[in-house]
């Protein structure tokens, strides 16, 4: 199946308590490139292999957490069609159109709130300013990379209450598939859903928790387990707040490490996982095996990992 | 002479080096008592109430400590810089994050109900 409809996560907008500390973290530690600041004081970043103008947006606020996540769709026709379907659905609330140019180099965005309380956006255009190695006889990686230097923004994990509604919106309206899930108890209540719109094991994941609109992490892709280990070195070298890892997830098979930005927003860098196709059966994990499902090596639940969110 | 931090809940105390936040001082000594989360003033699990002493707060998320609470002495240990000996009460809790008997995941301080769309 060729990829159509919603193509990929395009941006994540985060709130930070101290802008300059955050810019230092996302450039020197994570290793994104700052591409621009706008009149509102927002700072825009991209990873080295990303073609579009930006993928990460920071703004100073008095609370940490995520403002919204944006999804690139394949065309204006798809944008209009999905906007119409979302408008007609009770699952999408607080609907609005954001003018072209509100994000620099970006077309109009359709904004809506999903049942878990998170704000999502769809857009069809963002200027291609090019990746760091270019597109004509490129080198495999650019010089002058700093920090962990992921190649792209990859996914988010979000916490919220109405998991059923959010999963229904993503699968029935936006065309995502359920790659993996966690079920709990005798009724096999779904408590986690890993959703894919592409060939990835997940493009976004949600965990059921009795609160709305919480942010667990945003994640960036590295090339190898060795780069994950080097990220661990960087976390110590730069005295960054470590959460967990390096380790492997049972869920999605990713090799991973988690850490926090200076405002307490969790970041992940990871490598590996698998290529997902639409005919692959959904993987199910049961709550009695949640230890190895989440952390395959030490097979234990970690309270801080599960309960610390912004 | 180094500053001492006294934790009322467990009647324990530890020294805090000049300029360090309370949570880092506790972690460096391998001590416990205050839950450790993001260490960035964003998650609120290290929330404390200062009962006695002088201090200043670095930037803390208003989602965790309101301006009124801050005025009453509430703070986040990871952003709390003592300027004298401090006496604290621990307010924040790490969630018992997974508890089937209470309906899957739940957070501290939040009713553990897992809403169903019917
Ligand atoms: S540890 Fe998260 S606010 Fe202090
Ligand atoms: Fe992740």
């Amino acid at each position: 199946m060729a990829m159509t409809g919603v193509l990929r996560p395009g941006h994540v907008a985060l709130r930070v308590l101290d802008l300059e500390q955050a810019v230092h973290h996302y450039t020197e530690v994570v290793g994104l490139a700052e591409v621009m600041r706008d009149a509102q004081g927002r700072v825009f970043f991209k990873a080295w292999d990303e073609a579009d103008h930006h993928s990460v947006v920071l703004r100073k606020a008095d609370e940490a957490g995520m403002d919204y996540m944006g999804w690139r769709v394949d065309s204006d026709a798809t944008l209009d069609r999905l906007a119409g379907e979302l408008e007609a659905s009770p699952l999408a609330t607080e609907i609005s159109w954001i003018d072209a140019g509100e994000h620099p180099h970006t077309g109009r965005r359709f904004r809506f709130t999903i049942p878990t309380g998170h704000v999502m956006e769809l857009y069809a255009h963002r200027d291609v300013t090019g990746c760091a190695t270019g597109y004509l006889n490129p080198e495999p990686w650019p010089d002058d990379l700093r920090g962990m230097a992921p190649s792209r923004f990859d996914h988010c994990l979000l916490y919220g209450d109405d998991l059923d509604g959010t999963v229904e919106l993503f699968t029935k309206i936006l065309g995502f598939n359920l790659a993996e899930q966690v079920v709990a108890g005798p009724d096999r209540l779904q408590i986690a859903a890993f959703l894919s719109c592409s060939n990835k094991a997940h493009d976004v994941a949600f965990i059921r928790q009795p609160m709305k609109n919480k942010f667990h992490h945003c994640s960036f892709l590295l090339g190898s387990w060795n780069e994950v280990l080097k990220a661990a070195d960087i976390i110590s070298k730069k005295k960054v707040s470590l959460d967990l890892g390096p380790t492997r997830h049972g869920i999605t098979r990713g090799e991973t490490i988690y850490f926090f930005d200076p405002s307490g927003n969790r970041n992940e860098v990871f490598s590996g996982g698998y290529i997902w196709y639409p005919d692959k059966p959904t993987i199910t994990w049961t709550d009695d095996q949640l230890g190895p499902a989440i952390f395959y090596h030490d097979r234990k639940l970690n309270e801080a990992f599960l309960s610390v969110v912004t | 002479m180094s500053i001492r931090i006294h934790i009322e809940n467990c009647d324990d105390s530890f020294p805090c080096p000049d300029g360090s936040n309370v949570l880092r001082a506790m972690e460096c000594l391998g001590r416990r008592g205050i839950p450790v989360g993001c260490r960035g003033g964003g998650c609120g699990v290290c929330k404390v109430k200062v009962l006695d002493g002088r201090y200043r707060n670095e930037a803390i998320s208003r989602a965790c400590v309101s301006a009124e609470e801050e005025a009453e002495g509430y703070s986040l240990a990871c952003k709390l810089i003592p300027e004298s000996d401090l006496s604290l009460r621990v307010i924040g809790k790490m969630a018992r994050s997974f508890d089937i008997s209470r309906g899957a995941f739940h957070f501290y301080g939040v009713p553990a109900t897992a809403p169903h769309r019917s």
Side-chain angles (χ1 to χ4, degrees), chain A residues 38 58 60 69 102 121 141 277 286:
Chain A
D38 74 359
L58 302 182
K60 182 174 159 46
M69 187 178 176
E102 196 278 338
E121 297 180 345
W141 43 267
Y277 285 96
T286 53

Side-chain angles (χ1 to χ4, degrees), chain A residues 17 62-64 91 159 161-162 164-165 184 189 191 208-211 241-242 260 262-264 287 303-304 306-310, chain B residues 37-43 45 59-63 79 94-98 100 104-107 110-111 113-117:
Chain A
L17 303 173
D62 63 6
E63 294 183 10
L91 295 169
Y159 277 21
D161 55 355
D162 188 357
D164 308 315
L189 174 70
I191 58 171
R208 187 193 297 276
Q209 279 283 6
M211 54 214 314
S241 174
L242 173 69
F260 294 99
S263 305
D287 54 305
E303 301 267 276
L306 287 172
S307 49
V308 169
V309 291
T310 54
Chain B
C38 67
R39 307 181 187 87
C43 75
V45 306
I60 58 186
S61 177
R62 283 285 170 245
K79 294 288 175 178
M94 192 64 76
R96 299 239 342 264
S97 44
F98 190 71
I100 288 299
F105 288 87
H106 73 272
F107 274 114
V110 178
T113 50
H116 276 281
R117 174 165 293 272

